[in-house]
Structures are given as C-alpha cells and as structure tokens.
Amino acid sequence: MLLQLAVDSLSIDEGLTLLDQIHPFIDIIEVGTPMIIESGLEPVRIFHQRYPNCLIMADVKIMDAGSYEAEKCFAAGANIVSVLGVSNDITISGVVDVAQKYKGQVLVDLINVQDFEQRVIELDRLGVDYLCVHTAYDVQPTGISPLDELQRLNFLECRAKSAVAGGVKLDMLPDIIAEGAHIVVVGGGIINHADPVDVARTMHRIIKGIS
Amino acid sequence: MLLQLAVDSLSIDEGLTLLDQIHPFIDIIEVGTPMIIESGLEPVRIFHQRYPNCLIMADVKIMDAGSYEAEKCFAAGANIVSVLGVSNDITISGVVDVAQKYKGQVLVDLINVQDFEQRVIELDRLGVDYLCVHTAYDVQPTGISPLDELQRLNFLECRAKSAVAGGVKLDMLPDIIAEGAHIVVVGGGIINHADPVDVARTMHRIIKGIS
C-alpha cells in the first residue's frame, strides 16, 4: 500500500517545510486542488524537483478538455493526474492517452458518482490505473466514511487498482488495510495533527508492516 | 445579454495582448480552467486590475470544498465563480454563502449533468445566480450544440438566469439571442478566429443590438 499525502490547505512554503521533514514516509505527494487553484502547476514543478523519492500527483479533477489539461500536468512533472468519474468518457480517454505518452498514470476520482457500480465498471473499461473512492470534504461532517464505498469498489474486482480518500485518520488505517487498497490518501489526518512528523512516521510503519 | 470571453488556451501575456484590443467589446472575462491549472489565480488578479470595465469569472469548476475554494477566488478579485452541477448540494451552498459575503455571483456549470430537468430544479433552489448549459469541449466534435439544452433550461423558467457555453460561434448568435440567455460564453469562436478583434466587435454589436 502506498501513502499519499494531500497537500492542499498549505502555501507552497508551508508545504516545503512539512515535506522536508516527512517526505521519507510519503510515497506520493498530492498537489491538492486548492493549491492548484492558488498557484497553478508551480508546486508540481517544485515538489517534483525537490523530492525525487516521491511520486507527484496533480489533483486537478479534470472535467473537460482531458488531453489538453492532462498534457500540462504531466509536462510539469506529475506522475499521476486525476480526472472526475462524473466527466464524459471521451474526456477520461483523453487523459489516458496522454498518460501513456508520458508513462504516467490516471486516477479517477469517484467523488459524487451516481449509479456507483455501473459507473465503476464503465470507468474500468477505459483503461485507467486507479479508481479512488472519495468522501467529499463537504460531506465528511455528516459522518460518512469512504470505507463502505471501498468495500463496494473492491467487490467489483476491477482491473484498475483501488484508492481511498476523504477524511482518513490514523485510527481508520487498520480497517482500510484489512479491506485492501493500493493507495491511501491522507490530508488533514497528517497536516492538521498536533505532531505531523510522528503521525506520518506511524502511518508509514503501519502501512509497510514495520513493527 | 452579456458577452463572456473564455481565455483558456492562451498564456497570460497572450491574453493581455488580446484583451488590450478587445476588452471594450467584452462584458465578462473568463479565466478558463486550463489557465487556472497553469497559473493559479494570478491571471484573475491581473485582469481584475487591468480591465475595471469587465467582470472577472474564475472558471474553477468547483467539485468539493465549496466555501474554501470560492473564498480564494472571490478574494483574488473574481466577480463570478463556477461550481459543477454534478457536485454535492452542500458544496454548491458553500459557494453561494461565500458569494453573498463578497457580493459576488455563482455560476453552475451544467456540463455532463444527468437527469437534466430534475437536477436543474434542485440547483435553482440552492440560490445560484446562473445556470450554464455547456457542451463539453471533448464532446463538441460529435456535432452537439448547446442550443437544445438552452431550450430545455429556459422551458423550466428558473429563478436563476440562463448562460450558454460550448463551441459558440458567430453564426450561432442569432439563434441564441432568439432563444434567450443572460450570458453567452465564447472562447475559440473569438480567440481562434482569423480576426479576433473584428469578430469580437461584431458579436458585441449583434448582442447589444447596435446596427
């Protein structure tokens, strides 16, 4: 299992300060949507240069112009680019085509997908690399956890690998590991923790099975 | 009717060169999604300062963290912020709340919305300012025009005003004017035209009824 840190509520400098301390515990650095809205692809370029041990994920949540927008992200140094599961199949296929050109990967964000099972099967046929169940930030206060959807996703036995995001905290890791996912995305669970370095180290050890 | 120019396939400098010539013909300057992916909110700040005669629309296509992401856009000088109709109602309400704080406006992009009539009615109840039918860039080669959806939208007689986007060219303007819309969004129809200044002037005259 890979640990992905979503860096979204920090400035670039704050992100660098944190990542300088914890990047050895992180497999994938996600440049989150709010960070891209604020700063564009500059943090993708910076993190890509500074943390060669980590993959970089550009969480652009593409909804249209799939090949055009994906091209920008992969060219800037992203290894993984996100596209929305609620977008058109043509858009998703455009992202997949560009990913192959750059030997990059495509993560479909299943946030707010309706007819979950049917759409997941359709998306899997488009040749994406990851299907990511994602409890929206705005929905998390209602108490919903992404674990239920992860179980529904894994039950479908897709070709694409599973990823899980949305309010993941340290105490949820054992259940996620038991259920199985290739990527677990953590944001506030590390960034807003009283001791981000310690919790990142602990998550890393749990995920990698280091006792 | 207001003419909105979508600036998305240009660099900031290219956008400035074009806008310096045509901003008198434009009501709303849209900082398009690809431009935000590339440069963040910097073009919103620049265009807001340089073209005080125009409104600025940040086409961020919000999908989650509605209030958090909208706050960034309005604080940077956007007058209108876009949120996706396929997002959660809580997300859209978050954008509406922040817009009221800034005396800004919310445009819901209806791109790829399923159950169109039902969703439009739900969205209208959330107190948004504009409902925008939008034929995806990736879908335009199939020959679909946004005019059919504009008719379906107008038939519902929403409280929100209508907007129309997606492959609008000069020759489509009379039909759109006849159908009625508060905002017409043009991108490639001006930017990729052989004479962008002339076509922008012509569109402006047609829309404002200047003979």
Side-chain angles (χ1 to χ4, degrees), chain A residues 69-100:
Chain A
E69 295 183 359
E71 177 90 31
K72 287 179 178 288
C73 299
F74 286 119
N79 305 98
I80 308 171
V81 170
S82 66
V83 59
L84 289 172
V86 293
S87 70
N88 192 285
D89 288 358
I90 303 172
T91 299
I92 295 166
S93 293
V95 179
V96 170
D97 289 346
V98 175
Q100 288 170 346

Side-chain angles (χ1 to χ4, degrees), chain B residues 54-74:
Chain B
C54 297
L55 295 174
I56 307 294
M57 189 272 205
D59 188 23
V60 279
K61 293 188 174 69
I62 291 173
M63 184 65 193
D64 191 15
S67 60
Y68 186 75
E69 295 182 0
E71 177 90 33
K72 287 179 178 290
C73 300
F74 287 118

Side-chain angles (χ1 to χ4, degrees), chain B residues 3-210:
Chain B
L3 178 58
Q4 175 169 319
L5 175 68
V7 185
D8 45 18
S9 59
L10 303 179
S11 68
I12 295 176
D13 284 346
E14 290 167 342
L16 290 169
T17 301
L18 177 64
L19 286 165
D20 279 354
Q21 301 173 77
I22 68 171
H23 72 91
F25 310 127
I26 305 298
D27 299 295
I28 305 169
I29 299 171
E30 171 190 321
V31 180
T33 312
M35 185 174 247
I36 286 169
I37 289 176
E38 186 63 52
S39 307
L41 291 169
E42 195 59 18
V44 170
R45 295 188 185 94
I46 292 171
F47 297 164
H48 169 75
Q49 285 293 326
R50 185 143 162 164
Y51 308 110
N53 66 306
C54 297
L55 295 174
I56 307 294
M57 189 272 205
D59 188 23
V60 279
K61 293 188 174 69
I62 291 173
M63 184 65 193
D64 191 15
S67 60
Y68 186 75
E69 295 182 0
E71 177 90 33
K72 287 179 178 290
C73 300
F74 287 118
N79 305 99
I80 308 171
V81 170
S82 67
V83 59
L84 290 171
V86 292
S87 69
N88 193 285
D89 288 358
I90 303 171
T91 298
I92 295 166
S93 293
V95 179
V96 170
D97 289 346
V98 175
Q100 289 171 346
K101 176 177 147 191
Y102 281 90
K103 302 189 193 307
Q105 292 185 305
V106 179
L107 180 145
V108 175
D109 186 335
L110 297 171
I111 185 170
N112 228 33
V113 157
Q114 310 297 308
D115 303 319
F116 184 82
E117 277 73 15
Q118 181 189 323
R119 187 63 182 143
V120 162
I121 291 166
E122 292 169 356
L123 291 163
D124 193 40
R125 289 186 183 138
L126 297 175
V128 303
D129 300 283
Y130 298 104
L131 291 164
C132 183
V133 296
H134 183 185
T135 305
Y137 175 83
D138 288 334
V139 173
Q140 289 168 27
T142 64
I144 296 174
S145 125
L147 197 61
D148 289 345
E149 277 200 338
L150 180 60
Q151 289 167 341
R152 289 168 67 188
L153 174 62
N154 284 344
F155 183 78
L156 295 171
E157 298 188 346
C158 294
R159 193 201 52 77
K161 294 170 182 161
S162 300
V164 55
V168 176
K169 304 280 187 299
L170 179 60
D171 62 4
M172 295 162 66
L173 270 190
D175 285 344
I176 290 171
I177 291 169
E179 174 53 38
H182 195 78
I183 297 176
V184 57
V185 183
V186 184
I190 291 176
I191 287 175
N192 300 331
H193 194 276
D195 189 340
V197 179
D198 184 64
V199 75
R201 185 191 297 111
T202 304
M203 286 186 169
H204 172 77
R205 294 177 73 94
I206 292 172
I207 286 170
K208 306 301 178 186
I210 303 167

Side-chain angles (χ1 to χ4, degrees), chain A:
Chain A
M1 187 183 276
L2 302 178
L3 178 58
Q4 175 169 320
L5 176 68
V7 185
D8 46 17
S9 59
L10 303 179
S11 68
I12 295 176
D13 284 346
E14 289 167 342
L16 289 169
T17 301
L18 178 63
L19 286 166
D20 280 354
Q21 301 173 76
I22 69 172
H23 72 90
F25 310 128
I26 305 298
D27 299 295
I28 305 169
I29 299 171
E30 170 190 323
V31 179
T33 311
M35 185 173 249
I36 287 169
I37 290 176
E38 186 62 53
S39 306
L41 290 170
E42 194 58 18
V44 170
R45 296 188 185 95
I46 293 171
F47 296 165
H48 169 75
Q49 285 293 325
R50 183 141 161 167
Y51 308 109
N53 65 306
C54 297
L55 295 173
I56 306 295
M57 189 272 204
D59 189 24
V60 278
K61 293 187 175 70
I62 291 173
M63 184 65 191
D64 191 14
S67 60
Y68 186 77
E69 295 183 359
E71 177 90 31
K72 287 179 178 288
C73 299
F74 286 119
N79 305 98
I80 308 171
V81 170
S82 66
V83 59
L84 289 172
V86 293
S87 70
N88 192 285
D89 288 358
I90 303 172
T91 299
I92 295 166
S93 293
V95 179
V96 170
D97 289 346
V98 175
Q100 288 170 346
K101 176 178 147 191
Y102 281 90
K103 301 189 193 308
Q105 294 186 302
V106 179
L107 179 145
V108 175
D109 186 334
L110 297 171
I111 186 168
N112 228 34
V113 158
Q114 310 297 307
D115 304 318
F116 184 82
E117 277 73 14
Q118 181 189 324
R119 187 63 181 143
V120 162
I121 291 167
E122 291 169 356
L123 291 164
D124 193 39
R125 289 186 184 139
L126 297 175
V128 303
D129 300 283
Y130 297 104
L131 291 164
C132 183
V133 295
H134 183 184
T135 305
Y137 175 81
D138 288 334
V139 173
Q140 290 168 27
T142 64
I144 295 174
S145 128
L147 196 61
D148 290 346
E149 277 200 338
L150 180 61
Q151 290 167 341
R152 290 168 65 189
L153 174 63
N154 285 344
F155 182 77
L156 295 171
E157 297 188 347
C158 294
R159 194 202 52 78
K161 294 168 182 164
S162 301
V164 55
V168 175
K169 305 280 187 301
L170 179 60
D171 63 3
M172 295 161 67
L173 271 190
D175 284 345
I176 290 171
I177 291 169
E179 174 52 38
H182 195 78
I183 297 175
V184 57
V185 183
V186 183
I190 290 177
I191 288 174
N192 299 332
H193 194 276
D195 189 342
V197 179
D198 185 63
V199 75
R201 185 191 296 112
T202 303
M203 285 185 168
H204 172 78
R205 294 178 70 96
I206 291 172
I207 286 170
K208 306 301 178 185
I210 302 168
S211 59

